[in-house]
Amino acid sequence: MIAFLVLIGIVAVYGQDLTDGHHHHHSCIHNNQQQLKATQVITSVIADMEKDGDGIVEQTEVKTEFLTKYDKDMSGDVSEDEFVKQWHQRYHDEHDFAGYLFHHFDANDDLKLTDSDVVALEKGLDTDGDGRVSVAEFQTYLTNLYTNCVPSHGN
């Protein structure tokens, strides 16, 4: 999941304009029902995504996280509704903010999170070009999304 999030962030940060008629107006202001700070949520997301402790957020780790915890209908992808509900349940971020995150992770703006989104995010988040997404790269991406109200690539 971290790799997925990291990849989404890079795509958004570099401003790829992939508008295809979808317009998403979710709040990018972080609000959390448990009053958790962005740094606390980001730490939890990283812990959930980077399971093997090697400091790399791997595609397999992200895919496993999404398919086991987010893909409730077992369709092989994660809808916005599935993502928002699970993100809210796990991290307590408001639904509107979780929607904002979803649209950053949905790299091809097809309104679902799939393997292709994970691959695209990984490519975008690998800022040092070593072919891997480090925890630091993923953390930078998430911190940017949580604190800077980054416009999504579909807007």
Side-chain angles (χ1 to χ4, degrees):
M1 172 147 179
I2 291 176
F4 179 74
L5 294 177
V6 171
L7 292 176
I8 290 173
I10 290 176
V11 170
V13 170
Y14 290 107
Q16 292 184 356
D17 185 11
L18 302 174
T19 302
D20 66 353
H22 298 280
H23 296 284
H24 316 291
H25 300 344
H26 292 282
S27 174
C28 64
I29 305 300
H30 180 240
N31 289 307
N32 188 283
Q33 285 191 333
Q34 300 292 323
Q35 304 304 310
L36 297 173
K37 294 179 183 177
T39 54
Q40 294 170 297
V41 176
I42 292 167
T43 298
S44 292
V45 171
I46 291 170
D48 287 346
M49 295 296 155
E50 208 290 280
K51 294 288 191 189
D52 63 10
D54 66 356
I56 303 300
V57 180
E58 299 162 16
Q59 284 184 26
T60 55
E61 291 171 320
V62 173
K63 290 175 188 178
T64 299
E65 179 72 12
F66 275 115
L67 291 178
T68 60
K69 295 183 182 169
Y70 287 74
D71 183 18
K72 297 300 184 184
D73 67 3
M74 300 170 78
S75 64
D77 57 51
V78 177
S79 70
E80 181 175 2
D81 186 57
E82 288 173 318
F83 178 87
V84 168
K85 286 178 181 175
Q86 182 61 30
W87 193 272
H88 172 74
Q89 181 181 2
R90 172 66 181 102
Y91 305 113
H92 310 290
D93 285 340
E94 294 290 343
H95 289 92
D96 204 40
F97 185 79
Y100 156 79
L101 294 174
F102 174 87
H103 288 288
H104 278 279
F105 300 152
D106 182 15
N108 62 7
D109 203 31
D110 64 356
L111 304 178
K112 57 187 175 185
L113 302 179
T114 63
D115 287 349
S116 65
D117 294 307
V118 174
V119 170
L121 285 175
E122 183 176 63
K123 288 179 183 175
L125 294 177
D126 177 20
T127 57
D128 65 7
D130 69 353
R132 306 179 308 176
V133 176
S134 69
V135 166
E137 288 167 325
F138 189 62
Q139 184 173 14
T140 297
Y141 170 73
L142 289 177
T143 300
N144 191 37
L145 289 178
Y146 268 78
T147 59
N148 294 325
C149 283
V150 177
S152 72
H153 53 273
N155 287 339

